[in-house]
Amino acid sequence: DTGVSQDPRHKITKRGQNVTFRCDPISEHNRLYWYRQTLGQGPEFLTYFQNEAQLEKSRLLSDRFSAERPKGSFSTLEIQRTEQGDSAMYLCASSHGGSSYNEQFFGPGTRLTVL
Amino acid sequence: QKEVEQDPGPLSVPEGAIVSLNCTYSNSAFQYFMWYRQYSRKGPELLMYTYSSGNKEDGRFTAQVDKSSKYISLFIRDSQPSDSATYLCAFSDRGSTLGRLYFGRGTQLTVWP
């Protein structure tokens, strides 16, 4: 499978715990995005990387959230001291930076439940 | 006012019906207009995109953009049960190198046999 992959697919945690999600983009895609989607809503942008550089962060990304993309390949999203409001689907997408049109391919998401 | 407005539905139609899905937007900087389809518990997948006013057709799907009214539509002809999904409109602004997409909340569609 050459699509965007995310791990784990589901995560249940207790409030106050830290969690980390991983995203593997499509090979040769140099742009990688994180979105959050809550029930009944569309995805909301969190942050964006071009290669290893984090170029934009939404105000939704509080200081409890940190994202990295070492070596410009896979990315991790860590949430510290989770809160019940963090329960959501976390989606990763990637795109080929060479095109003028920014088609983003999404992974299946990681569903987080904070108890 | 939200930048993107989309009626969440739900919308339920019989097989073979023509479906019309719509979004309005307020940001004049939006330059690319997209429709994504999302099946339950899956990530969104791109259906169609366009960057100009007018119609774009792809099989049973037609995307329509009216920039003057800030209104976009997706039409599905001869709808099939396999079209049952949530349809999300999405937009990218003039600074598309920044990458972010702005999504509507999605319209849930059910096509019954």
Side-chain angles (χ1 to χ4, degrees):
Chain A
D1 187 353
T2 56
V4 177
S5 61
Q6 293 187 245
D7 184 68
R9 294 291 308 277
H10 304 275
K11 179 70 178 179
I12 299 174
T13 191
K14 292 183 179 179
R15 189 176 54 186
Q17 298 295 305
N18 299 343
V19 294
T20 300
F21 310 141
R22 176 180 171 125
C23 170
D24 286 88
I26 293 171
S27 179
E28 299 179 355
H29 278 190
N30 61 6
R31 296 180 178 179
L32 187 147
Y33 315 82
W34 286 98
Y35 291 84
R36 181 173 71 185
Q37 186 176 25
T38 55
L39 195 62
Q41 301 297 318
E44 294 177 292
F45 173 81
L46 292 178
T47 190
Y48 153 62
F49 292 85
Q50 179 151 323
N51 300 313
E52 65 275 10
Q54 189 173 18
L55 296 187
E56 189 178 4
K57 290 193 293 186
S58 163
R59 63 180 183 278
L60 292 175
L61 213 66
S62 75
D63 56 6
R64 297 186 297 106
F65 288 70
S66 63
E68 294 182 343
R69 193 184 182 197
K71 303 178 184 178
S73 55
F74 71 91
S75 176
T76 58
L77 178 68
E78 181 184 17
I79 310 174
Q80 296 182 329
R81 305 180 304 280
T82 53
E83 302 173 355
Q84 288 185 324
D86 297 332
S87 295
M89 173 81 88
Y90 289 83
L91 293 163
C92 176
S94 69
S95 72
H96 193 291
S99 60
S100 59
Y101 164 60
N102 188 29
E103 179 174 352
Q104 296 184 19
F105 296 85
F106 282 82
T110 294
R111 183 172 295 280
L112 173 66
T113 301
V114 182
L115 302 176
Chain B
Q1 181 188 8
K2 285 187 175 181
E3 286 189 291
V4 180
E5 297 282 357
Q6 182 176 12
D7 186 340
L11 189 60
S12 182
V13 300
E15 183 175 357
I18 296 174
V19 176
S20 172
L21 306 166
N22 312 294
C23 287
T24 59
Y25 64 95
S26 58
N27 190 338
S28 298
F30 286 162
Q31 190 173 32
Y32 292 97
F33 309 92
M34 290 149 274
W35 287 95
Y36 279 80
R37 178 174 61 194
Q38 186 173 26
Y39 291 112
S40 180
R41 303 184 186 279
K42 304 285 188 183
E45 58 176 336
L46 181 69
L47 270 179
M48 298 186 71
Y49 84 92
T50 185
Y51 54 84
S52 59
S53 283
N55 294 350
K56 181 176 181 180
E57 192 172 318
D58 184 1
R60 298 185 294 110
F61 298 90
T62 299
Q64 189 175 79
V65 173
D66 183 345
K67 287 186 178 180
S68 62
S69 301
K70 296 189 175 64
Y71 187 88
I72 70 170
S73 300
L74 178 71
F75 299 96
I76 307 174
R77 291 185 300 280
D78 188 24
S79 55
Q80 303 294 309
S82 59
D83 294 329
S84 298
T86 296
Y87 289 80
L88 300 154
C89 57
F91 304 81
S92 181
D93 62 23
R94 198 166 285 124
S96 63
T97 52
L98 295 179
R100 74 160 62 188
L101 295 180
Y102 300 81
F103 283 89
R105 62 182 300 183
T107 299
Q108 186 179 348
L109 171 67
T110 300
V111 181
W112 44 275

